[in-house]
C-alpha cells in the first residue's frame, strides 16, 4: 500500500476470487464456471465478427443483446440493463439505492462481494445470520425497510427460497429495493423475473458466466421496471458508458438465443450434480440440497481444510472458506462427468477406501 491511498480505503479487504491457475493439468472445480464451451452459434458469430471494427466503440445501449434477452424472457427492452458481469450490476445497485440513511442488509454467509461493496462505498450493512441448517429465514427480511440483497440460490450453500417466500419479502418492503441475485437460478431455482410487473421495488440480477458458458465474456444483466433500470443506467453512464465490448455483445446475443444448447448443458450439469451428491453421500458427506452448479460438502472423518489441501495435492481445485461457521465445508463446482469421477476417485484415496 502506498502513502497516497485515501484513508477511507486503508482497511478495505478486496474480494478474493477463486484461483485461476495456468496449469491446464488441474481439475478446476473452484470457481463455478461451466465445463462446456460456448455454443456453436456463439463461436460462428465471433469468427464472423467484424474484428477490424474493434477500433470503434461498442454500442453503449447494447441494443442487440437486450432485444434478444427481452425476447427469450418475455420482458420489455426498457426493463433490462447490461453490465460487465453481474458484479458490475451489483455495484451499481449498492451505489444507487444504499446510503447512510438506507443501509443494505444481507446474510452473513452469502456472496462475498456484498460486504466488499459496502466497505468500498462506506455503507454500514445489517448482517443477518443464516439459520443453523444454513438456510435463509425469510421472516428475517420482512419489514426491514432498507435495501435487501438475497442470492437465490445462495452462495456458497446452493439453497433456495421459494417464489412465495420472495413475494412475502417484497410485500413487506414495498418502499425499498429488494435485489434477488439469480446467478445460479437456471440450475434448479425459481426465477423472480415474472414478478417485476407486480413489484416496482424488485431487481433481478442475472449472469452469462454460469449457465450460458460465457464467464470469460464478462456479461450480466438486471431485469426490473423501467424507472429502476433508468436509475441503474444513470450509474452506468456516469461511470463507464461503453462497459460491454463488441465481442461480448455478439456472444451474449447468440448465447441467449441458442436455447437448445443451453438446455442440453443444464441437463448435463444436473445429472452430474446428482451423481456427485449420491457418491459423496455414500462416503458420509453432509450436503445441503443444492439448486446451483456447485455443491457445498462437509466431509466425514476429515476437516474441510484437510480435504481441500489433499485434493489440491492431487491436482484438483475446490473452494474452501475460513469463515468459522463453514470452515468444515468445501464448495465443489459441478464439472463434466469425467471430472466428477476423478474427484470421487481422489476422495476414495484420501479417505483410504
Amino acid at each position: 500500500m502506498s502513502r497516497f491511498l485515501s484513508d477511507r480505503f486503508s482497511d478495505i479487504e478486496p474480494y478474493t476470487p477463486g484461483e485461476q491457475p495456468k496449469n491446464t493439468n488441474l481439475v478446476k472445480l473452484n470457481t463455478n464456471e461451466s465445463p462446456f464451451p460456448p455454443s456453436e452459434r456463439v463461436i460462428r458469430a465471433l469468427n464472423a465478427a467484424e474484428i477490424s471494427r474493434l477500433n470503434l466503440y461498442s454500442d453503449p445501449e447494447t441494443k442487440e443483446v437486450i432485444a434478444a434477452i427481452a425476447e427469450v424472457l418475455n420482458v420489455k427492452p426498457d426493463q433490462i440493463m447490461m453490465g460487465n458481469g453481474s458484479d458490475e450490476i451489483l455495484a451499481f445497485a449498492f451505489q444507487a439505492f444504499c446510503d447512510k440513511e438506507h443501509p443494505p442488509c444481507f446474510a452473513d454467509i452469502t456472496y462475498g462481494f456484498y460486504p466488499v461493496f459496502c466497505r468500498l462505498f462506506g455503507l454500514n450493512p445489517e448482517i443477518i445470520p443464516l439459520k443453523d441448517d444454513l438456510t435463509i429465514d425469510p421472516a428475517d427480511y420482512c419489514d426491514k425497510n432498507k435495501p435487501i440483497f438475497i442470492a437465490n440460490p445462495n452462495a456458497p450453500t446452493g439453497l433456495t427460497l421459494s417464489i412465495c417466500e420472495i413475494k412475502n419479502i417484497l410485500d413487506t418492503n414495498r418502499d425499498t429495493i429488494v435485489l434477488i441475485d439469480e446467478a445460479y437460478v437456471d440450475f434448479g431455482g425459481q426465477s423472480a423475473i415474472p414478478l417485476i410487473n407486480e413489484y416496482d421495488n424488485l431487481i433481478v440480477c442475472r449472469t452469462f458466466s454460469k449457465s450460458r458458458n460465457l464467464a470469460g465474456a464478462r456479461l450480466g444483466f438486471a431485469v426490473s421496471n423501467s424507472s429502476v433500470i433508468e436509475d441503474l443506467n444513470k450509474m452506468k453512464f456516469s461511470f463507464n458508458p461503453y462497459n460491454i465490448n463488441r465481442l461480448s455483445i455478439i456472444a451474449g446475443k447468440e448465447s441467449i438465443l441458442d436455447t437448445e444448447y443451453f438446455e442440453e448443458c443444464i441437463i448435463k450439469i444436473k445429472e452430474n450434480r446428482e451423481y456427485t451428491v449420491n457418491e459423496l453421500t455414500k462416503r458420509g458427506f453432509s450436503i445441503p440440497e443444492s439448486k446451483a452448479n456447485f455443491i457445498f460438502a462437509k466431509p466425514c472423518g476429515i476437516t474441510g481444510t484437510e480435504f481441500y489441501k489433499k485434493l489440491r495435492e492431487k491436482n484438483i481445485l475446490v473452494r474452501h472458506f475460513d469463515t468459522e461457521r463453514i470452515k468444515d465445508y468445501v464448495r465443489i463446482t459441478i464439472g463434466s462427468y469425467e471430472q466428477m469421477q476423478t474427484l470421487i476417485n481422489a476422495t476414495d484415496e484420501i479417505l483410504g477406501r
Side-chain angles (χ1 to χ4, degrees), residues 222-241:
V223 185
S224 187
N225 71 82
S226 59
S227 61
V228 170
I229 293 300
E230 185 178 350
D231 294 339
L232 290 172
N233 274 321
K234 182 179 290 188
M235 300 297 104
K236 166 189 164 178
F237 281 89
S238 300
F239 177 70
N240 182 12

Side-chain angles (χ1 to χ4, degrees), residues 79-266:
Q79 295 176 311
I80 300 170
M81 179 263 191
M82 302 304 300
N84 192 287
S86 59
D87 291 335
E88 187 177 60
I89 301 276
L90 293 169
F92 291 153
F94 274 94
Q95 284 182 308
F97 306 113
C98 304
D99 52 36
K100 291 182 179 180
E101 287 71 38
H102 305 90
C105 61
F106 46 81
D108 62 335
I109 298 170
T110 190
Y111 184 33
F113 238 135
Y114 299 168
V116 173
F117 287 140
C118 288
R119 289 191 291 268
L120 185 64
F121 301 138
L123 304 171
N124 184 27
E126 177 183 350
I127 307 298
I128 302 175
L130 298 181
K131 296 196 293 185
D132 290 342
D133 62 359
L134 301 181
T135 60
I136 289 175
D137 187 344
D140 290 339
Y141 294 84
C142 293
D143 298 307
K144 298 306 294 185
N145 295 313
K146 59 181 65 174
I148 295 170
F149 292 78
I150 298 176
N152 192 50
N154 195 18
T157 65
L159 296 168
T160 62
L161 293 177
S162 69
I163 289 299
C164 288
E165 291 169 324
I166 291 173
K167 287 187 69 172
N168 193 35
I169 293 170
L170 288 162
D171 281 327
T172 60
N173 291 281
R174 285 283 189 172
D175 295 324
T176 190
I177 284 292
V178 177
L179 186 147
I180 306 298
D181 185 352
E182 294 187 346
Y184 303 101
V185 74
D186 291 323
F187 300 101
Q190 291 180 286
S191 178
I193 287 176
L195 303 178
I196 63 167
N197 292 321
E198 183 178 353
Y199 295 95
D200 66 353
N201 58 329
L202 171 64
I203 302 173
V204 179
C205 187
R206 301 285 288 271
T207 181
F208 282 72
S209 296
K210 317 301 180 184
S211 59
R212 294 290 172 177
N213 316 324
L214 289 177
R218 307 312 304 130
L219 199 61
F221 62 96
V223 185
S224 187
N225 71 82
S226 59
S227 61
V228 170
I229 293 300
E230 185 178 350
D231 294 339
L232 290 172
N233 274 321
K234 182 179 290 188
M235 300 297 104
K236 166 189 164 178
F237 281 89
S238 300
F239 177 70
N240 182 12
Y242 305 103
N243 62 334
I244 313 296
N245 69 71
R246 283 180 172 272
L247 301 185
S248 290
I249 289 173
I250 294 170
K253 173 188 173 182
E254 297 302 325
S255 174
I256 200 75
L257 293 176
D258 196 344
T259 55
E260 182 178 354
Y261 183 70
F262 162 76
E263 291 169 358
E264 289 176 2
C265 292
I266 293 295

Side-chain angles (χ1 to χ4, degrees), residues 270-283:
K270 288 182 177 180
E271 290 174 346
N272 296 344
R273 183 180 66 198
E274 182 178 4
Y275 162 77
T276 307
V277 168
N278 288 340
E279 292 300 317
L280 291 178
T281 301
K282 292 176 186 177
R283 290 154 176 81

